[in-house]
Amino acid sequence: MRRHPLRLLITAGPTREPIDPVRFLSNYSTGVLGHTLVAEAQRRGHAVLFITGPTGSPPPRGVKTVAVETALQMQAALERAFPAVDAVIMAAAVADFRPARAAAQKIKRSGVAGGLKLWRLELVENPDLVAGLATRRTRQVIMGFALETSRALANARAKLRTKQLDAIVLTQMRGPRAPFGDTTVDGAIVKSSGAVQPFRRLAKPALARRILDTVERLVAQRGKTSSAA
Ligand code: CTP
């Protein structure tokens, strides 16, 4: 099949939210699926802009990569790139909260809570990056991810709706830390049309192919509706 090359924005990895110069809040995201998506998109001839939080992987070759640390930095990079792309694949595990203040100096054990051995860290909510993009889309197809531990499909559907996404990739927790770094994943691709495509023990390269098939189809459908309009 001859493919129409697309301009894709792919995000991956966790964000890090600084507490002080030596500590941060983050999550277990490894960025593996994001890197796999970039490789598959390159293989298909798409132009990719890759925005990534800190992961153990070196930046992919031959792809414009923007390395960020915090959710707010990721938001700035996304907003710059968003107007020029056909689709966004938001695989990053963005931290929902950040410390209200990042201390300029290392927080000392002796300075915490006057001997009570209790440290209250104040957090503020980060913006929902993908939902923010969705409110400003012109023609862009927007795909998000939902990592769930319970009521998986219902939660994924709710995120699809409230974030106004075109599709969402549900991935389910299997073990205590799965699917972070796992080679296979369970879940489903859910489209805003209501269609659900479940998968079980799917290897990440195969999942990347399904995700890109879905994005390509959604972009093609959008093209048809906007030229018909
Ligand atoms: N996301 C985002 N900005 C955030 C949090 C999440 O853009 N501040 C995006 C993620 O990249 C993902 C989707 O939203 O594509 C769902 O992320 P998830 O962490 O599963 O959902 P949350 O909205 O954070 O909901 P909750 O933590 O309550 O499950």
Side-chain angles (χ1 to χ4, degrees), residues 130-196:
V130 79
L133 295 178
T135 60
R136 269 170 292 120
R137 67 153 79 77
T138 47
R139 64 188 186 288
Q140 293 86 347
V141 163
I142 303 184
M143 176 179 261
F145 285 71
L147 174 61
E148 303 296 341
T149 55
S150 65
R151 299 188 64 243
L153 193 56
N155 284 337
R157 284 198 171 112
K159 280 180 193 172
L160 177 72
R161 204 176 43 249
T162 54
K163 294 173 191 265
Q164 297 183 57
L165 307 174
D166 298 293
I168 196 158
V169 182
L170 160 67
T171 53
Q172 273 169 286
M173 295 282 279
R174 264 206 307 260
R177 284 192 195 175
F180 296 112
D182 266 20
T183 43
T184 67
V185 264
D186 294 346
I189 299 178
V190 187
K191 292 205 255 181
S192 58
S193 64
V196 179

Side-chain angles (χ1 to χ4, degrees), residues 7-70:
R7 288 159 302 176
L8 300 180
L9 181 48
I10 300 177
T11 69
T15 64
R16 285 182 180 171
E17 311 297 328
I19 296 170
D20 69 15
V22 299
R23 303 183 179 95
F24 55 82
L25 286 181
S26 192
N27 56 64
Y28 291 121
S29 169
T30 58
V32 169
L33 181 58
H35 278 258
T36 312
L37 282 163
V38 169
E40 180 60 22
Q42 277 182 296
R43 209 185 57 74
R44 295 179 181 215
H46 300 313
V48 178
L49 174 66
F50 186 46
I51 301 177
T52 179
T55 71
S57 313
R61 281 163 180 259
V63 170
K64 188 166 177 228
T65 299
V66 181
V68 298
E69 291 260 332
T70 66

Side-chain angles (χ1 to χ4, degrees), residues 83-97:
V85 300
D86 299 303
V88 179
I89 306 178
M90 192 73 194
V94 184
D96 287 327
F97 295 90

